[in-house]
Amino acid sequence: MADLQALIYELQMQQVVNYLAAAGGALVLYDQVLTFSQEVDLIWNRQWSYMTALYFIARYSGDLLVIGYAAMYMCINWTYSGFVSIYLAVNWANNIFLLTMQAILVIRVYALFNRSKKVLIFLATFYVLQAIATIAITGLIANKRVLDKSFTYAGPALGSVVQGFVTNFPTFLLTAERDNSILSVVFDSILLCFALWAFGKHALEAKTLNKGWSINVLVRTVVADHLLYFVCNLIWLSLALATTNAGDSYTILGILVNDLSILSATLVVVAGPRMVISLRTIENKTRGEGETLEGEMSTIRFGVREPPAQSESVMEEGGGF
């Protein structure tokens, strides 16, 4: 009887995670419906650029990540090969999304520093090294021999609860993945420090020139969005690291960590692409008010804008936003 009660408890706890994963997928789809008209106006109907390409990669790899994660938990008929396939898709989508968002943030910081080559070389070197490490680790995990040894089939799913697969990846891979996640947090922190530094310099120069705190709305939007994304992503990566120890057990702590990890992943996937939409929305509003950045005399310059009919994104002209 005690064993039966323990099994029922485990299934109930796991079902909470399953439903939350499904809710995360629904939330991402709902957000995409809400922002679709803005996406058409600000992305589809604008001249294509590398920032447009990065936006689409981030948007749809994020969708695949959250929806695939929900499918992995909610489907009751996964075969071994089917489960492994969706697991790999989610794993690749996760890393592609994070690397794409870091590329967007690197370009933004580069623009904030008035396209400084020194800043770009430093950030690009760090980014390339991390990207190589991420792709190498993901490729090792995708190796068939590793997968066959890492997934153990334990029986069919029960109801809406997937309980048939247990992960047991080699220790060196788990260690490498953990260290790479820590490296990602460090790089994100460096990017945020650069953005805040540029923001501070701009604020001080604006105060000196204008005899008051008059911060450019585009600079303010860039840094505010960057800070929000950093906080959400830091929570997600921290919880993902914690799940390695607590998330696999059916304890209150394990379930809580897993639940929070799913929620934070959803917030990151929503916040990331919205950064591009938010900036282009603000840029359109400043055009409509007849404001320009011509004559801007601070350290942070995004480039002289062309007339509204011919202009693309201010940030794209000044550094690739």
Side-chain angles (χ1 to χ4, degrees):
M1 181 61 70
D3 291 341
L4 179 59
Q5 289 177 342
L7 175 61
I8 293 174
Y9 174 75
E10 291 178 1
L11 293 176
Q12 289 174 338
M13 292 297 98
Q14 186 60 44
Q15 194 169 43
V16 173
V17 178
N18 294 356
Y19 288 159
L20 194 57
L27 178 61
V28 168
L29 290 177
Y30 179 66
D31 176 73
Q32 192 153 354
V33 170
L34 290 180
T35 59
F36 184 71
S37 60
Q38 290 177 298
E39 182 177 304
V40 171
D41 292 338
L42 301 173
I43 308 296
W44 288 90
N45 291 336
R46 299 286 286 272
Q47 182 178 352
W48 278 67
S49 65
Y50 53 84
M51 183 56 62
T52 302
L54 290 174
Y55 169 84
F56 281 117
I57 294 172
R59 164 65 83 181
Y60 294 106
S61 62
D63 287 353
L64 177 59
L65 166 62
V66 177
I67 296 171
Y69 194 59
M72 189 167 63
Y73 272 94
M74 291 302 296
C75 183
I76 64 175
N77 294 315
W78 283 124
T79 61
Y80 174 80
S81 59
F83 181 85
V84 169
S85 296
I86 193 68
Y87 172 83
L88 289 176
V90 168
N91 199 29
W92 277 108
N94 171 67
N95 291 314
I96 290 172
F97 174 81
L98 291 176
L99 288 175
T100 303
M101 287 307 308
Q102 285 183 336
I104 291 175
L105 294 177
V106 166
I107 293 170
R108 289 183 167 220
V109 170
Y110 170 57
L112 285 173
F113 280 87
N114 199 25
R115 294 190 282 185
S116 166
K117 291 184 178 180
K118 292 182 179 179
V119 171
L120 179 62
I121 292 172
F122 173 76
L123 296 179
T125 301
F126 203 127
Y127 175 81
V128 169
L129 292 175
Q130 183 189 310
I132 292 173
T134 300
I135 293 171
I137 293 170
T138 308
L140 286 173
I141 291 176
N143 184 279
K144 189 177 186 303
R145 291 183 179 179
V146 173
L147 291 173
D148 288 341
K149 292 180 180 179
S150 303
F151 287 104
T152 303
Y153 185 66
L158 180 61
S160 61
V161 181
V162 173
Q163 58 170 346
F165 300 93
V166 178
T167 57
N168 185 29
F169 283 103
T171 303
F172 82 93
L173 271 181
L174 292 177
T175 302
E177 198 168 29
R178 180 201 63 196
D179 293 345
N180 190 57
S181 296
I182 294 173
L183 182 64
S184 178
V185 171
V186 170
F187 186 42
D188 287 343
S189 301
I190 291 173
L191 287 171
L192 180 64
C193 289
F194 269 81
L196 292 177
W197 182 16
F199 179 82
K201 290 181 67 176
H202 174 80
L204 290 175
E205 290 181 357
K207 184 176 184 297
T208 301
L209 293 171
N210 302 322
K211 308 302 180 183
W213 297 102
S214 178
I215 301 173
N216 183 279
V217 64
L218 296 173
V219 177
R220 189 168 64 244
T221 301
V222 168
V223 178
D225 287 347
H226 192 148
L227 182 60
L228 175 62
Y229 175 81
F230 173 81
V231 171
C232 294
N233 196 35
L234 178 63
I235 294 173
W236 178 26
L237 291 177
S238 300
L239 290 170
L241 289 172
T243 338
T244 304
N245 299 321
D248 293 334
S249 60
Y250 293 102
T251 62
I252 295 299
L253 176 61
I255 295 300
L256 178 62
V257 169
N258 215 347
D259 289 351
L260 293 176
S261 179
I262 295 171
L263 285 175
S264 57
T266 302
L267 292 177
V268 171
V269 169
V270 169
R274 274 182 172 265
M275 291 173 58
V276 179
I277 292 178
S278 172
L279 185 60
R280 292 194 175 186
T281 300
I282 295 298
E283 193 260 346
N284 275 359
K285 288 181 179 179
T286 58
R287 283 184 192 172
E289 296 170 359
E291 297 179 5
T292 70
L293 296 179
E294 294 181 5
E296 178 71 32
M297 297 178 66
S298 69
T299 301
I300 304 168
R301 299 187 183 91
F302 295 98
V304 177
R305 296 201 329 194
E306 299 174 1
Q310 302 175 8
S311 175
E312 293 300 327
S313 171
V314 173
M315 301 302 180
E316 288 175 354
E317 293 168 5
F321 279 77

